[in-house]
Amino acid sequence: MKAETRLSLMTLFVFMVSVYFAGAQDSTTILKLTFDQAWEQTSRNSHVMKQVQYLQQEKDMEAKATKGLYMPKVGISAVYMFMSDDLTLDLTPVKNTITPIYSALGNYGVFSGVPNPAVPTTVLPDNMSTQAVRSQFKDGLQQIESADWNKMIQKKQFGTVAATFQWPIFYGGKIGVANKVAKIEQKETGEVARQKEGELMSELTERYYGLCLAKQAITVRLDVFNGIEAHLHDAEKMQKEGLIANADVLHARLYHAQAERELTKSRRTAGILNQALNNTIAIEKEASIEPISELFYVNSVESLQFFKSTAATKNPLLMQMKNKKLLVEQSYKVEKAEYLPQVALQGMYDIVNKDLSPYTPTWMLGVGMKWTLFDGASRSRKVKSAYYKINQVEEIKLKAESDISMIVEKLYNELSMYREQLKELESAKTFAEEYLRVREKAFHEEMTNATDVVDANLGLAQVRMERLQAMYGYDLTLAKLLQYSGIPEEFRNYRQRNDAKMESYKSEK
């Protein structure tokens, strides 16, 4: 009686769990997606890809802005100044110098040969010439005495609005280097985008096929649970009839509870992976995703040398390292350019002013040069530092090439290992299915005990799970291999190959 009660309670618990998950699915949107559809949504919605797109736009604008360094700069300059005192020019010493001369010549000078105003072809007599010239010197002396010899050059408050102009003619090659740096950074950003795309492809593969594996695991665990439950029911009936011992029934109940725990665990794992996949796809409303694409593997892929050579020329991390080296080489050129002069054409035009000195010109145009001849050996040391930086980046690049090559080889060997496991598990699956059939038949013919049947059930479930896990491991490893080889977009093409084998577990109950 107790055994029947326990069995009824377990059955009720499983039913309630099934109802709970069914209700949870009804409350959320069910989204059926192939892998290609999932990738399209991921690449369109991913915050990571949007971030990279903005980064690319930023570098594009920076490159366009850098081209403007070749062009002249025209602007408006406004200033209003306050000085402590007016700016004046004291010419009194000049007055003091010329006053005695005018005074002496106006009183004592003797002159002759002054032209006669009435008859231009004749001159005045000497006495009249002297008188006329002395009169002019006296008038000049009077003007000198009455003149302001402390001239105002500039009032202490004044303002100007002027148009300015500057056009770099020669900056030691710095402008050209700046434009090259901008182009290199554009290329580097493109490689960053490819890197993020490859990482996102691997992440989607991990989570999409991980959810696919988890849902397959639920089906396997449910079949195991149903099989052991049916076997427990048969064992309890046979115990009542006295055909088997109580120990066999207890053994069946023990594994029935274990199968129930594994089933619950598989469902929880699927729920967690569903949330992770929602996060990767970045859909607005969380949905219950049903993967349509099946786990797959291909019998053969390209050679190891193919993937290594492809990685050497297309791996985005290595391409970024090459761009880093180009950047430090440009930095080296910038440091060397510090030895050269800077030449620019510059000018100014006075648009409007207030109380500005009338002696100030309306416009100015000229060429300016700046050339540092000695700076305490700072430039030479910076040049050496930039040279060492080039060597440093070169060593980092060589190390990265070695690491990427090693990772590619490791992933390639793992891919081969999973392919071998799948072949071995194919035979193991056939043996396990036949073994379970034989044990179930022997149990009903009372030729074996319940333990053998339970073990056969669990053995078959283990083989099925190992095969699904091996296919999942194959898919994830293939995605990572293609990612490090710099061709992550090829993953979808591998799924469509003629020798690609799809597989999913179908319930046999």
Side-chain angles (χ1 to χ4, degrees), residues 169-414:
I169 298 175
F170 178 73
Y171 269 38
K174 290 182 180 179
I175 296 178
V177 168
N179 278 270
K180 289 180 181 178
V181 167
K183 290 181 180 179
I184 294 170
E185 288 180 343
Q186 278 184 296
K187 293 180 181 179
E188 186 177 8
T189 304
E191 296 301 332
V192 171
R194 290 183 59 241
Q195 176 191 347
K196 296 300 181 182
E197 183 179 349
E199 292 173 353
L200 201 59
M201 176 67 79
S202 294
E203 179 182 306
L204 179 64
T205 302
E206 180 181 3
R207 295 181 178 181
Y208 182 91
Y209 285 111
L211 181 59
C212 183
L213 173 63
K215 289 184 177 292
Q216 296 279 303
I218 291 175
T219 305
V220 173
R221 296 301 181 187
L222 185 59
D223 275 0
V224 171
F225 175 80
N226 291 335
I228 294 180
E229 187 174 47
H231 174 68
L232 175 61
H233 181 69
D234 292 343
E236 288 175 339
K237 289 174 60 177
M238 294 177 72
Q239 181 197 23
K240 290 179 181 179
E241 296 172 1
L243 299 177
I244 60 174
N246 185 48
D248 289 335
V249 178
L250 292 175
H251 186 272
R253 287 174 182 166
L254 174 65
Y255 281 97
H256 180 270
Q258 179 180 341
E260 187 177 8
R261 289 195 304 272
E262 293 294 335
L263 176 60
T264 303
K265 179 181 176 182
S266 297
R267 283 170 171 161
R268 291 186 181 276
T269 301
I272 294 171
L273 288 170
N274 186 81
Q275 291 180 347
L277 185 56
N278 269 276
N279 180 265
T280 298
I281 297 177
I283 53 180
E284 294 182 359
K285 184 178 180 181
E286 185 171 336
S288 176
I289 300 176
E290 293 289 341
I292 297 177
S293 300
E294 299 176 341
L295 294 163
F296 76 97
Y297 72 98
V298 292
N299 285 325
S300 62
V301 295
E302 289 78 3
S303 66
L304 174 60
Q305 185 57 39
F306 167 80
F307 289 107
K308 281 189 173 184
S309 59
T310 304
T313 56
K314 293 187 177 181
N315 181 277
L317 290 173
L318 295 183
M319 296 303 102
Q320 289 178 59
M321 291 307 305
K322 291 181 179 179
N323 288 324
K324 291 290 185 186
K325 185 179 179 183
L326 292 175
L327 287 175
V328 296
E329 288 174 349
Q330 296 305 315
S331 298
Y332 177 74
K333 292 181 180 179
V334 169
E335 297 301 337
K336 291 184 69 176
E338 291 294 333
Y339 285 101
L340 300 174
Q342 298 179 7
V343 182
L345 182 66
Q346 51 193 3
M348 181 275 293
Y349 180 81
D350 183 24
I351 300 175
V352 64
N353 66 77
K354 181 179 183 303
D355 295 330
L356 184 65
S357 172
Y359 302 104
T360 303
T362 303
W363 60 270
M364 293 184 294
L365 182 66
V367 177
M369 183 188 77
K370 179 182 177 182
W371 194 355
T372 302
L373 300 178
F374 179 73
D375 65 348
S378 175
R379 286 176 296 188
S380 63
R381 289 166 183 158
K382 287 182 178 180
V383 169
K384 289 180 180 178
S385 175
Y387 177 74
Y388 294 143
K389 186 70 174 179
I390 293 175
N391 294 334
Q392 178 186 351
V393 173
E394 175 64 21
E395 294 300 326
I396 295 174
K397 184 174 76 72
L398 293 174
K399 179 65 166 61
E401 289 174 351
S402 176
D403 289 344
I404 295 298
S405 178
M406 182 189 68
I407 292 173
V408 168
E409 184 171 355
K410 173 179 174 292
L411 292 171
Y412 187 87
N413 291 333
E414 288 181 1

Side-chain angles (χ1 to χ4, degrees), residues 296-303 307 412 415-424 426 467 471 474-475 478 494-503:
F296 76 97
Y297 72 98
V298 292
N299 285 325
S300 62
V301 295
E302 289 78 3
S303 66
F307 289 107
Y412 187 87
L415 198 68
S416 301
M417 178 191 69
Y418 282 120
R419 190 164 56 247
E420 292 169 359
Q421 286 183 3
L422 287 168
K423 291 180 180 178
E424 294 170 357
E426 180 66 30
R467 182 167 175 80
M471 294 191 72
Y474 182 94
D475 293 340
L478 177 61
Y494 276 83
R495 292 179 53 254
Q496 299 171 2
R497 286 190 174 187
N498 294 330
D499 60 341
K501 295 185 178 180
M502 312 287 180
E503 186 171 320

